[in-house]
């Protein structure tokens, strides 16, 4: 993944290690690496770390839920993934209409 904003590029390489384990490698690239930009660059890294920790907490919570007895496997959650379902239906319709051409 790549994120670009105001002279900063950060990359996130997500590597699957096992069925239930991944590694994410983060790199930050700054347009201005001068001493005067150092504090701002470090603050940007700290914000990125904070957001990544929030994402990690969410992913771990989801995984706990998926392993629970209350979870029943399915393609999509009717209550929470209506947008994804609509996207899939529209994509199917577009692909289906092109198949006959």
């Amino acid at each position: 993944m790549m994120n670009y904003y105001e002279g900063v590029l950060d990359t996130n390489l997500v590597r699957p290690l096992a069925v239930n384990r991944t590694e994410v490698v983060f790199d930050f690239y700054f347009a201005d690496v001068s001493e005067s930009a150092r504090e701002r660059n470090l603050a940007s890294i700290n914000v990125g770390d904070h957001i990544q920790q929030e994402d990690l907490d969410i992913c771990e919570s989801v995984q706990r839920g998926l392993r629970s007895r209350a979870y029943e496997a399915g393609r999509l959650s009717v209550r929470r993934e209506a947008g994804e379902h609509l996207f899939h239906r529209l994509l199917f319709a577009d692909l289906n209409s092109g198949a006959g051409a």
Side-chain angles (χ1 to χ4, degrees):
M1 295 174 272
M2 298 173 69
N3 302 299
Y4 180 76
Y5 47 95
E6 297 183 40
V8 180
L9 170 70
D10 65 62
T11 60
N12 308 342
L13 173 63
V14 181
R15 295 180 18 168
L17 302 176
V19 168
N20 61 351
R21 187 168 162 78
T22 59
E23 173 186 51
V24 183
V25 179
F26 301 97
D27 285 306
F28 295 84
Y29 304 90
F30 299 97
D32 183 357
V33 293
S34 67
E35 190 58 37
S36 63
R38 181 176 171 76
E39 189 173 326
R40 184 179 67 242
N41 293 347
L42 290 173
S44 179
I45 292 171
N46 288 334
V47 168
D49 286 344
H50 180 79
I51 291 168
Q52 296 307 320
Q53 186 59 52
E54 288 176 345
D55 289 349
L56 176 63
D57 294 343
I58 291 168
C59 290
E60 288 177 345
S61 177
V62 166
Q63 291 303 313
R64 278 192 305 277
L66 292 175
R67 287 191 307 269
S68 77
R69 292 180 301 170
Y71 176 73
E72 220 174 282
R75 290 192 331 202
L76 295 171
S77 167
V78 175
R79 287 189 347 222
R80 304 197 190 284
E81 296 177 311
E84 290 87 343
H85 185 238
L86 174 61
F87 172 77
H88 289 172
R89 286 191 335 223
L90 293 171
L91 179 61
F92 174 79
D94 284 350
L95 292 173
N96 212 24
S97 68

